[in-house]
């Protein structure tokens, strides 16, 4: 029995496995958690090893899972942590998992793109709504002012003997600037002699 400061007794063993059975055997040994592997080819570059493509695929799947986890946390969805590590999937299941992760990542990216477009459209429409409200209130005030001016012109308490000429504003141009359209309105107050 090992103490707190010393590791348990270990035995050095060398295993010869067929390449077809290597994945399943190493997976089972790894699940036990009682084996430590030694690299017998330390001088070989990582890119020259036989399993480098599998490691890259696993790294890519891990990246996709981290992306999905980040999006889930950003959405405020709780993730249940069971505290146990799942068994290593067989190679055929790895292909299915890879395809599933790819599909989920593409769908999530598409959802994010659509959400950004919807937010942008919402902000543009809100801006246009406020511009239209301000424009409507301006025209209502202008209409009221024109009606007041016309009521003064048609007032009957003016004497008939003196002709009166009200000042006129000819061709005052009102420009209302929209984000993509320029609208011009021509208001003319007509002078009238009484």
């Amino acid at each position: 029995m090992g103490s707190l400061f010393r590791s348990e007794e270990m035995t050095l063993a060398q295993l010869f496995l067929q390449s077809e059975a290597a994945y399943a055997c190493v997976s089972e040994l790894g699940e036990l958690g009682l084996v430590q592997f030694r690299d017998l080819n330390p001088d070989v570059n990582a890119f020259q090893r036989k399993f480098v493509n599998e490691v890259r695929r696993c790294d890519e799947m891990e990246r996709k899972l981290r992306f999905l986890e980040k999006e889930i946390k950003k959405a405020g969805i709780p993730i249940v942590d069971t505290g146990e590590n799942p068994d290593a999937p067989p190679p055929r299941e790895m292909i299915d998992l890879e395809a599933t992760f790819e599909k989920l990542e593409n769908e999530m990216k598409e959802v994010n793109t659509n959400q950004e477009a919807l937010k942008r459209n919402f902000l543009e429409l809100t801006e246009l709504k406020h511009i239209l409200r301000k424009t409507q209130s301006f025209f209502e005030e202008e209409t009221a002012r024109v009606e007041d001016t016309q009521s003064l012109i048609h007032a009957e308490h003016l004497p008939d003997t003196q002709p009166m000429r009200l000042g006129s504003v000819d061709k005052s141009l009102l420009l209302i600037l929209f984000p993509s359209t320029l609208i011009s309105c021509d208001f003319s107050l007509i002078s009238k002699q009484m």
Side-chain angles (χ1 to χ4, degrees):
M1 181 172 169
S3 71
L4 182 64
F5 299 106
R6 294 183 61 124
S7 63
E8 294 184 23
E9 270 189 40
M10 298 178 73
T11 304
L12 180 62
Q14 188 172 10
L15 297 174
F16 295 96
L17 303 171
Q18 292 180 357
S19 58
E20 295 86 18
Y23 181 88
C25 293
V26 170
S27 173
E28 285 295 324
L29 290 171
E31 298 297 334
L32 292 174
L34 301 174
V35 179
Q36 178 181 351
F37 294 98
R38 274 183 30 189
D39 189 1
L40 298 179
N41 301 316
D43 299 334
V44 177
N45 190 351
F47 297 107
Q48 296 173 338
R49 296 179 185 265
K50 289 172 61 175
F51 54 84
V52 68
N53 290 333
E54 285 80 7
V55 172
R56 282 183 184 164
R57 285 174 56 201
C58 290
D59 286 342
E60 185 65 18
M61 285 193 287
E62 184 182 13
R63 181 195 63 78
K64 291 173 184 174
L65 284 173
R66 278 196 313 267
F67 169 73
L68 292 172
E69 180 185 22
K70 183 185 78 170
E71 293 297 318
I72 289 171
K73 286 182 178 177
K74 190 167 76 172
I77 301 171
I79 299 175
V80 179
D81 186 12
T82 59
E84 50 187 59
N85 291 328
D87 295 342
R92 289 185 185 197
E93 282 185 28
M94 291 276 284
I95 295 170
D96 294 339
L97 284 173
E98 194 173 12
T100 302
F101 295 159
E102 180 77 22
K103 179 183 170 195
L104 289 173
E105 182 189 30
N106 290 337
E107 287 177 0
M108 187 59 68
K109 285 181 179 178
E110 186 177 341
V111 165
N112 287 343
T113 304
N114 291 340
Q115 182 182 17
E116 289 173 9
L118 284 173
K119 280 184 181 177
R120 191 169 46 251
N121 287 345
F122 174 75
L123 291 176
E124 288 175 2
L125 291 173
T126 304
E127 180 182 355
L128 286 174
K129 180 176 78 171
H130 288 297
I131 289 173
L132 288 173
R133 282 185 181 165
K134 291 290 184 183
T135 306
Q136 182 181 6
S137 65
F138 174 78
F139 280 123
E140 287 172 354
E141 291 171 6
E142 187 65 25
T143 303
R145 191 177 67 79
V146 168
E147 288 173 357
D148 290 343
T149 305
Q150 287 177 350
S151 67
L152 285 176
I153 292 172
H154 295 296
E156 294 184 3
H157 64 279
L158 293 175
D160 292 337
T161 56
Q162 290 185 342
M164 181 178 170
R165 183 178 172 107
L166 294 176
S168 66
V169 179
D170 292 325
K171 293 188 179 179
S172 63
L173 194 60
L174 173 65
L175 296 177
I176 302 167
L177 185 63
F178 282 94
S180 62
T181 310
L182 186 65
I183 299 174
S184 64
C185 302
D186 187 13
F187 287 102
S188 299
L189 293 179
I190 303 171
S191 63
K192 182 175 181 181
Q193 288 187 348
M194 299 194 73

